[in-house]
Amino acid sequence: MKDQTRCVVAPEVNESGYRSLAPAVHRASTIVFKDAADYAARSERGPDGYSYGLYGTPTTRQLEAKLNGLARAARTLLVPSGQAANAVAAMALLSAGDHVLLADTTYPVMRALADADMKRSGIEPEYFNPTSLEDLAGRIRPETKLVWCESPGSTTLEVQDLPAIAEIAHKAGALVGCDNTWATSLGCKPISLGVDIVTEALTKYASGHSDLLMGAMSFASDDIALNVRDFMGRIGIGVSPDDAALVLRGMETMALRFNHAAEGARRLIERLQNHPAVANILWPPLESSPGHALWLRDFTGAAGVFTVILADGASAKLDDALGALKTFAIGASWGGTRSLVAPMSIGHSRSVGQVAGEDLFLRFSVGLEAPEDLDADIEAFLAVLG
């Protein structure tokens, strides 16, 4: 073999006896075959075989398997972001002439997809009251193919009755999808509650370090999952094995971080609740939060993400109050090591229920900083609000 060829061809190394606790990073676009007959029969390898890097490597399959076990699913697929999970799951299964019902509290970007791209594709979206089974039942049609939930709802954190929604939808021949990003599979398992498709932004708690984007779709039925997988192949969607390895690493501490964040949220909420500048706090573990009884029934944990509604007039000092924060950072997303706060306006993304009062919501996400530093930040924040 010439030196030039030696530079190109990777030598085989004996791997017997080698086993690492760290996930290996298998990168590939091209996957080679032992001979021409093996290559010709590559389609016979099935969905769990390897034929091209777009359709997975051992690294991405390892992450899918870990998520699949947590979700109690038939199959889990990876996509480049949480919203990609929502979009791909819906668009792969809907056709022109179909009707889709979405919870009014759905993630705003999912609403934008429905209002723009679904309509452009001949799919009719409609929104339902997430806490009214009667409203949902009254909007179901023969052409309804998908009921889309997000529980708890985006920003306002209403918990939906997923088993009852699934019963209504399935009776009408529709599938049920649910964005489970807030709770993750650690806090809720929607497939066990009758949901067909569960999406999650791995960008958040699974990754845990605010440095990558990835999403997951978990399916109760392998047939539905394979239909979506075929669609992904046709439009060329895959994920980076390097990012998958980072998510695998992040997941090793995910349960600890998830529980720690919830404990931190509860402590900070106690400090915020009785302050005159705070009108209400939305967090499903609170008895006053919408859907608390359903949260007790269906959930085993809570995210450290909650929403604060300010009292009338308090928002006039909000910019200065946010400027007093030293440990909390101002930014979107959640689930990383840093605590975050983000002012939110949601009136533009509600159609069934209208926002009462000022359209201002403060979303807090608790990270891993010392409790004393977070407490000091909240006290400084409240001091400015007055």
Side-chain angles (χ1 to χ4, degrees):
M1 186 183 293
K2 300 295 185 182
D3 285 351
Q4 182 176 344
T5 305
R6 290 183 187 277
C7 288
V8 174
V9 177
E12 292 191 12
V13 176
N14 180 13
E15 296 183 7
S16 63
Y18 176 81
R19 186 176 182 184
S20 171
L21 287 174
V25 182
H26 294 271
R27 304 182 188 94
S29 54
T30 297
I31 293 170
V32 297
F33 299 79
K34 64 181 181 180
D35 53 36
D38 192 28
Y39 179 73
R42 63 191 183 279
S43 62
E44 298 174 10
R45 295 185 172 192
D48 297 314
Y50 299 101
S51 59
Y52 189 64
L54 180 67
Y55 305 107
T57 74
T59 308
T60 58
R61 297 283 172 80
Q62 186 177 5
L63 177 54
E64 288 173 347
K66 180 173 284 195
L67 293 164
N68 208 53
L70 286 173
R72 308 294 194 267
R75 187 178 294 270
T76 294
L77 303 171
L78 301 175
V79 288
S81 70
Q83 174 54 18
N86 297 336
V88 169
M91 299 305 286
L93 299 171
L94 293 170
S95 302
D98 288 346
H99 175 245
V100 56
L101 283 166
L102 301 97
D104 198 39
T105 50
T106 294
Y107 178 47
V109 184
M110 185 61 170
R111 289 182 67 105
L113 176 86
D115 293 340
D117 302 288
M118 286 187 185
K119 286 184 177 178
R120 180 170 52 82
S121 301
I123 301 161
E124 183 183 356
E126 185 179 359
Y127 298 95
F128 68 94
N129 183 335
T131 61
S132 172
L133 297 174
E134 293 77 13
D135 186 56
L136 171 64
R139 296 176 188 269
I140 289 270
R141 310 175 191 171
E143 61 268 25
T144 304
K145 301 303 180 185
L146 178 65
V147 175
W148 190 262
C149 304
E150 183 171 343
S151 184
S154 183
T155 306
T156 42
L157 301 181
E158 297 90 345
V159 179
Q160 296 185 256
D161 191 340
L162 293 179
I165 289 171
E167 183 177 359
I168 292 169
H170 291 160
K171 186 177 180 180
L175 297 172
V176 179
C178 181
D179 186 332
N180 194 40
T181 296
W182 184 89
T184 80
S185 290
L186 294 175
C188 183
K189 301 190 189 303
I191 287 175
S192 299
L193 301 174
V195 171
D196 302 290
I197 308 155
V198 180
T199 62
E200 182 182 336
L202 306 180
T203 306
K204 296 177 170 62
Y205 278 115
S207 162
H209 292 80
S210 306
D211 60 356
L212 63 84
L213 297 168
M214 193 174 292
M217 303 172 290
S218 297
F219 300 87
S221 161
D222 199 43
D223 288 341
I224 295 174
L226 294 178
N227 283 338
V228 174
R229 184 179 183 273
D230 288 344
F231 176 78
M232 290 170 59
R234 292 193 297 271
I235 61 175
I237 288 183
V239 300
S240 161
D242 295 88
D243 285 347
L246 288 174
V247 177
L248 283 165
R249 173 181 284 192
M251 288 188 70
E252 293 184 11
T253 60
M254 180 179 170
L256 295 175
R257 291 184 285 102
F258 186 78
N259 293 331
H260 179 86
E263 292 171 6
R266 188 178 295 278
R267 188 189 66 255
L268 293 180
I269 287 170
E270 290 174 357
R271 303 181 79 91
L272 289 160
Q273 270 182 317
N274 299 318
H275 195 277
V278 175
N280 196 12
I281 296 179
L282 305 175
W283 194 50
L286 296 177
E287 290 186 12
S288 59
S289 198
H292 172 70
L294 293 173
W295 179 81
L296 285 175
R297 186 192 71 185
D298 295 340
F299 289 67
T300 57
V305 179
F306 60 91
T307 298
V308 172
I309 301 174
L310 297 178
D312 290 344
S315 63
K317 299 180 180 179
L318 178 59
D319 287 353
D320 291 338
L322 292 173
L325 298 171
K326 304 300 182 186
T327 303
F328 275 91
I330 301 173
S333 198
W334 70 75
T337 60
R338 284 294 301 274
S339 292
L340 299 171
V341 60
M344 314 287 289
S345 175
I346 64 170
H348 61 284
S349 59
R350 295 289 190 274
S351 52
V352 176
Q354 301 302 313
V355 175
E358 189 175 6
D359 186 11
L360 176 64
F361 299 80
L362 292 179
R363 188 179 67 198
F364 284 85
S365 170
V366 179
L368 302 183
E369 302 91 345
E372 296 83 359
D373 290 328
L374 295 178
D375 291 345
D377 245 19
I378 291 297
E379 291 303 322
F381 174 79
L382 293 174
V384 175
L385 285 181

